[in-house]
Amino acid sequence: AAIEEHSQNHSWQHGPNIFVEGLRDIMLSWLDADPAAAKEFVKVLVKSNHQILRRIAIHLLDVEWNALQEVFLANLDTSLFQTAHTHELYLLLKSRFSIMPLDVRKRILKIIREFPLRDDVDDPSRSLLFKQQKWLSALAGLGFADIDAWHNDLVNQMGYRPEHPEFLSYMQSFWGPGPSPYPAPDLIGFAREGTLIENLNSFKEDSDNWRGPTERSLSDELE
């Protein structure tokens, strides 16, 4: 799931993880010991036919930005923004975008703005909005008002804000009945106003929101 150490990495993929972590750590050590020679190998990795090697390279570009930023600039085009690179490129943009030169920031925004429509999905326009929203979320909140406005507009068009846009999938678990739609003070207020029964009857569970309020939690809060 991630090139860096992360709780989302699957422990049952022990063998592949060892190779990824090994190459990652060797490259970081090599970049520290002989950055000029290691940079030439990073240039090979970032153009590899194997996506896991490209992902490791993008991770290195982020962690060793001062030494490798010219490699990033040399490979900055639409092909860099592919689905397989989501996690590593997202983190790179989030941590390094603010310190990039103005012309580079403009190139990145131009790429995002000019993503092509896909012809292999049911709703190409919505698919484009989703892709733009995902990448812009890495740049939102960094102090650029125009980017924040564009991102908020896309969120409004999509109707939701992804929780973990830096991952293709994110695993987590919860248990219990969830939150109550009305906390106890609100229920007491409804009772004093004479609207308690009306508010209780008007609540409906959202079956699509598995972490949303439930009738069970409302009942417990009422008690």
Side-chain angles (χ1 to χ4, degrees):
I3 298 301
E4 81 275 16
E5 298 292 338
H6 199 285
S7 60
Q8 288 295 302
N9 288 339
H10 310 317
S11 59
W12 59 87
Q13 292 183 336
H14 187 62
N17 287 348
I18 287 177
F19 284 101
V20 172
E21 294 164 7
L23 180 55
R24 176 199 67 198
D25 293 346
I26 287 171
M27 289 304 305
L28 289 171
S29 296
W30 190 10
L31 283 161
D32 184 54
D34 189 353
K39 181 192 293 185
E40 295 304 309
F41 193 68
V42 174
K43 292 178 181 178
V44 175
L45 292 179
V46 80
K47 292 183 178 294
S48 172
N49 291 327
H50 301 284
Q51 67 168 254
I52 192 64
L53 296 184
R54 297 195 304 271
R55 290 181 60 194
I56 291 173
I58 296 170
H59 172 76
L60 296 172
L61 297 181
D62 181 16
V63 176
E64 296 291 338
W65 176 256
N66 291 335
L68 299 175
Q69 57 181 297
E70 67 181 57
V71 181
F72 171 78
L73 297 179
N75 291 274
L76 178 55
D77 57 31
T78 303
S79 65
L80 197 61
F81 288 77
Q82 58 181 273
T83 302
H85 301 163
T86 294
H87 184 71
E88 285 66 42
L89 184 56
Y90 188 102
L91 296 186
L92 185 155
L93 292 175
K94 194 167 188 65
S95 62
R96 304 300 178 180
F97 185 81
S98 297
I99 61 175
M100 293 178 186
L102 177 60
D103 63 316
V104 177
R105 297 203 303 266
K106 287 183 175 180
R107 283 172 59 188
I108 292 171
L109 293 175
K110 186 173 186 292
I111 290 172
I112 296 174
R113 193 176 297 278
E114 296 179 357
F115 281 150
L117 284 171
R118 296 177 57 181
D119 57 8
D120 58 345
V121 294
D122 293 334
D123 191 340
S125 296
R126 187 169 179 81
S127 176
L128 174 60
L129 291 178
F130 174 80
K131 186 175 181 179
Q132 290 176 325
Q133 178 198 33
K134 176 181 69 175
W135 289 112
L136 275 180
S137 67
L139 314 179
L142 298 180
F144 303 98
D146 54 339
I147 295 177
D148 290 346
W150 182 15
H151 177 252
N152 289 334
D153 179 58
L154 292 177
V155 170
N156 291 334
Q157 290 186 62
M158 291 295 293
Y160 70 97
R161 188 186 302 269
E163 287 191 42
H164 298 281
E166 75 278 19
F167 282 99
L168 298 181
S169 62
Y170 192 94
M171 295 190 300
Q172 53 188 332
S173 60
F174 298 88
W175 57 90
S180 169
Y182 306 117
D186 287 355
L187 294 172
I188 294 172
F190 295 152
R192 289 172 175 164
E193 296 169 359
T195 61
L196 178 62
I197 301 303
E198 177 184 350
N199 280 288
L200 292 177
N201 288 337
S202 67
F203 171 69
K204 296 290 185 286
E205 286 188 24
D206 182 0
S207 59
D208 293 329
N209 185 0
W210 64 289
R211 287 189 294 169
T214 62
E215 292 181 357
R216 165 73 180 278
S217 62
L218 176 57
S219 175
D220 290 345
E221 193 76 0
L222 182 64
E223 291 181 14

